[in-house]
Amino acid sequence: MGRPIVKRLCVAVSVASFVLNMFLLLNIRLETKSASKSSPSQSAPARFVPSRKSSPLSSDSFVSSPLASPSVPSSSPTSKSSDSFVSSPLASPSVPSSSPTSKSSDSFVSSPLASPSVPSSSPTSKSTNSSNNFTRVLCHRFKGRLGNELFQYASTLGLALTLNMTPVFLGSQHLPYVLKTFNQTSADSSTFVNRCKKAKAANEVSCCKFDEKLTHLDPSQDCTVGTYLVSYKYFEHHEPEIRKALTFTDEIRNESSHVVQELRQKHNTSTLIGVHVRRGDMAKEHNIKLGYPQVSPDYLNRSMAFFRSRYPDCVFVVGSNSLQWCKDNVPSGYHVHYLTGHSPAVDMSVLSSMDHTIITFWSFSWWVGFLNAGTTVYVKDFIVNETQIGRQLDGSSFTYPRWVPL
């Protein structure tokens, strides 16, 4: 009985061993077959996909320029604007400086209020060179003091806007230190200045009277306009642009703001009335004979009474080149503060910042009234007939329409 059982066990073990060996062999063959199928697909991309560096749309081209737009490759062979796009350090990263669809620097030099970030005479702009050749200039050489220069500046800007010409200002003694935007509104490159020397002269007929022919100059040729241009009618159609151009420097505004703030703190419930009195050289005998209008104590009394009847608590802030005369002639019974120790530009800024103004005569007073946002009164009959100055003056083109004559 023992031997048959042992023999059967041996047979069973042999069968089990054979089955196990066959299973292992089959498994090995399956794994080998699976590996042989997968290996061709792993190597295929190396044979059919081009190198990333050779692709014309490679992202390498997007970073070739630090100013390039991420959506427009700066080195794309299909883009003509990319070279000019980075040729100027002031070019906008989103608008190519020489884009054929943009007026670019032509518009910058045709307007006196051009953006300061794109100089009209930039040597890096190709379109500026063409504007030098084709944009006509309107030149003016300054004369006189601050009030005179402001008239010449505003009038020349107004004419340049009307005629679509480039203003070129020469020889200012005051405005570069008074106006914040003066150096941004003048095309002062040597190219323009040289053209002014050859420009056709066009002077007003009278120093103090609007000359309409200046608004009809030929915009196809360079012109030089003169002389004093004392009339608001030269810029009345461009007043918003002119007011923007007449922004005082930060230094002047800071000093005048400090003065105004102290006045309002001291008189916090009062209405402040700015008063400018021009005498000095105007009161000299030869100027009186020429016909320069004179301020009288009677006018001061009428104008101050005019405002006190409307604002009983008002305070009069007086600026003048003849303060002692003002102290001797201002009517008694009024609350008056006298401005001292400031530059003419600061006085102008302070007086024009008051609630209302009283002005006398000539250009400095005129700008105090024009820059003021309130009511301005002026001398009604300021023209002295049958005098040299009286014949040159035109009241309708000199006095601002919204002012009140007294």
Side-chain angles (χ1 to χ4, degrees):
M1 291 291 296
R3 287 184 178 181
I5 293 174
V6 172
K7 187 175 181 178
R8 289 178 182 177
L9 287 175
C10 289
V11 171
V13 170
S14 298
V15 172
S17 177
F18 175 77
V19 172
L20 179 59
N21 289 334
M22 291 298 295
F23 176 79
L24 292 175
L25 179 62
L26 179 61
N27 187 50
I28 291 172
R29 287 183 177 181
L30 289 175
E31 288 181 355
T32 302
K33 185 177 181 179
S34 176
S36 65
K37 287 184 178 181
S38 61
S39 59
S41 64
Q42 292 174 354
S43 60
R47 293 194 300 270
F48 298 107
V49 177
S51 170
R52 182 173 179 269
K53 292 183 179 181
S54 65
S55 172
L57 298 179
S58 169
S59 61
D60 290 343
S61 62
F62 290 103
V63 296
S64 62
S65 167
L67 295 178
S69 167
S71 60
V72 182
S74 62
S75 60
S76 171
T78 62
S79 173
K80 295 182 179 180
S81 63
S82 59
D83 291 339
S84 60
F85 182 81
V86 296
S87 64
S88 169
L90 295 178
S92 167
S94 59
V95 182
S97 60
S98 60
S99 169
T101 61
S102 171
K103 295 182 179 179
S104 65
S105 59
D106 286 343
S107 62
F108 291 128
V109 297
S110 65
S111 169
L113 299 179
S115 169
S117 62
V118 185
S120 60
S121 58
S122 171
T124 60
S125 175
K126 295 181 180 179
S127 56
T128 300
N129 293 333
S130 62
S131 68
N132 287 348
N133 295 327
F134 301 111
T135 300
R136 296 305 176 182
V137 297
L138 186 66
C139 310
H140 179 79
R141 183 169 292 279
F142 288 103
K143 54 180 64 68
R145 293 187 287 188
L146 176 59
N148 293 129
E149 285 201 2
L150 286 172
F151 258 119
Q152 294 158 47
Y153 179 60
S155 294
T156 304
L157 284 181
L159 289 170
L161 283 168
T162 298
L163 299 168
N164 194 29
M165 300 175 75
T166 299
V168 181
F169 298 106
L170 307 171
S172 174
Q173 301 297 313
H174 305 280
L175 302 189
Y177 316 102
V178 172
L179 297 182
K180 185 174 184 178
T181 61
F182 177 75
N183 292 322
Q184 300 168 7
T185 58
S186 176
D188 58 354
S189 70
S190 60
T191 301
F192 288 113
V193 173
N194 290 335
R195 284 169 55 177
C196 289
K197 297 177 182 178
K198 303 177 182 178
K200 179 181 179 180
N203 296 329
E204 60 185 356
V205 174
S206 173
C207 78
C208 316
K209 188 180 297 183
F210 174 66
D211 190 348
E212 188 176 0
K213 80 173 189 300
L214 297 183
T215 64
H216 301 292
L217 297 176
D218 184 358
S220 67
Q221 61 180 348
D222 297 338
C223 295
T224 296
V225 64
T227 52
Y228 285 93
L229 306 177
V230 183
S231 175
Y232 74 92
K233 289 191 175 182
Y234 290 116
F235 53 85
E236 66 176 330
H237 299 301
H238 306 285
E239 190 171 313
E241 294 93 334
I242 299 304
R243 289 186 179 276
K244 180 180 179 182
L246 298 177
T247 301
F248 290 114
T249 63
D250 292 340
E251 292 79 7
I252 291 174
R253 287 191 294 172
N254 290 339
E255 185 176 347
S256 65
S257 295
H258 180 71
V259 175
V260 173
Q261 184 178 5
E262 286 187 340
L263 286 169
R264 295 202 180 278
Q265 288 177 348
K266 184 177 180 180
H267 312 286
N268 59 351
T269 62
S270 301
T271 299
L272 301 181
I273 312 296
V275 183
H276 181 256
V277 177
R278 170 74 184 275
R279 279 184 59 83
D281 58 327
M282 291 295 178
K284 293 181 179 180
E285 185 64 26
H286 71 279
N287 282 332
I288 294 176
K289 291 181 179 180
L290 286 174
Y292 284 101
Q294 305 296 309
V295 60
S296 66
D298 177 63
Y299 170 69
L300 290 181
N301 186 48
R302 284 185 287 115
S303 58
M304 294 172 77
F306 171 86
F307 281 110
R308 189 163 68 172
S309 67
R310 289 161 174 75
Y311 311 102
D313 63 341
C314 64
V315 175
F316 295 91
V317 181
V318 179
S320 175
N321 59 349
S322 298
L323 278 180
Q324 189 57 52
W325 184 93
C326 295
K327 294 177 181 179
D328 294 340
N329 290 277
V330 166
S332 60
Y334 290 92
H335 193 174
V336 182
H337 175 90
Y338 294 97
L339 294 175
T340 59
H342 308 293
S343 69
V346 171
D347 278 354
M348 181 183 288
S349 181
V350 171
L351 293 173
S352 62
S353 299
M354 299 294 96
D355 299 311
H356 308 285
T357 53
I358 296 170
I359 63 174
T360 51
F361 179 74
W362 217 230
S363 55
F364 191 100
S365 263
W366 197 97
W367 289 107
V368 169
F370 179 81
L371 296 174
N372 180 259
T375 299
T376 294
V377 301
Y378 69 98
V379 184
K380 179 172 60 175
D381 299 318
F382 62 89
I383 296 178
V384 183
N385 295 321
E386 304 306 322
T387 63
Q388 180 177 337
I389 299 299
R391 285 188 289 270
Q392 296 183 52
L393 279 170
D394 175 20
S396 64
S397 66
F398 179 77
T399 54
Y400 195 59
R402 293 197 291 268
W403 294 349
V404 178
L406 286 179

